[in-house]
Amino acid sequence: MLIMKPVITIEYCPKCGWLLRAAYMAQELLTTFTDDLGGVTLRPSEVGGSYIIYLNGEKIFDRKEAGHFPEIKILKQLVRDVVNPEKSLGHSDRV
């Protein structure tokens, strides 16, 4: 039986120039969760100012709701808590 690994989708506003930020976060997540993720998809948004991160289709972060972009440390913790709760994030872990 094939087990599907979780997939992250980063929806970003191309008009705001947030592709590089989304690509950076995708790279960080793929590097940290090499064995835990099935991939990261970057999706340009039709909605201006949008920056939303989904894990298997469920929203885990929304820039408009939070009032800021996610810190990569916090984003890694959010993803880890779902995909591999036992995984240590080293210096990025909670203290």
Side-chain angles (χ1 to χ4, degrees):
M1 180 171 93
L2 181 64
I3 297 174
M4 299 296 290
K5 292 182 181 179
V7 174
I8 303 278
T9 301
I10 302 175
E11 182 179 305
Y12 66 94
C13 175
K15 294 176 184 159
C16 297
W18 292 339
L19 172 59
L20 282 177
R21 181 186 302 263
Y24 160 72
M25 289 191 177
Q27 176 185 338
E28 284 289 319
L29 292 171
L30 287 169
T31 301
T32 301
F33 299 101
T34 304
D35 298 328
D36 303 308
L37 289 177
V40 176
T41 301
L42 302 181
R43 181 171 62 214
S45 178
E46 309 260 332
V47 179
S50 183
Y51 197 90
I52 304 172
I53 301 172
Y54 300 91
L55 177 57
N56 279 345
E58 290 201 32
K59 181 169 52 174
I60 61 168
F61 191 89
D62 185 330
R63 185 196 68 83
K64 286 183 178 178
E65 291 174 2
H68 57 83
F69 286 98
E71 290 182 45
I72 196 65
K73 170 184 172 181
I74 301 302
L75 180 57
K76 286 180 180 182
Q77 290 171 0
L78 288 170
V79 171
R80 184 271 312 273
D81 291 349
V82 174
V83 303
N84 187 349
E86 303 300 313
K87 183 178 185 70
S88 169
L89 296 175
H91 68 279
S92 290
D93 227 332
R94 294 183 181 92
V95 178

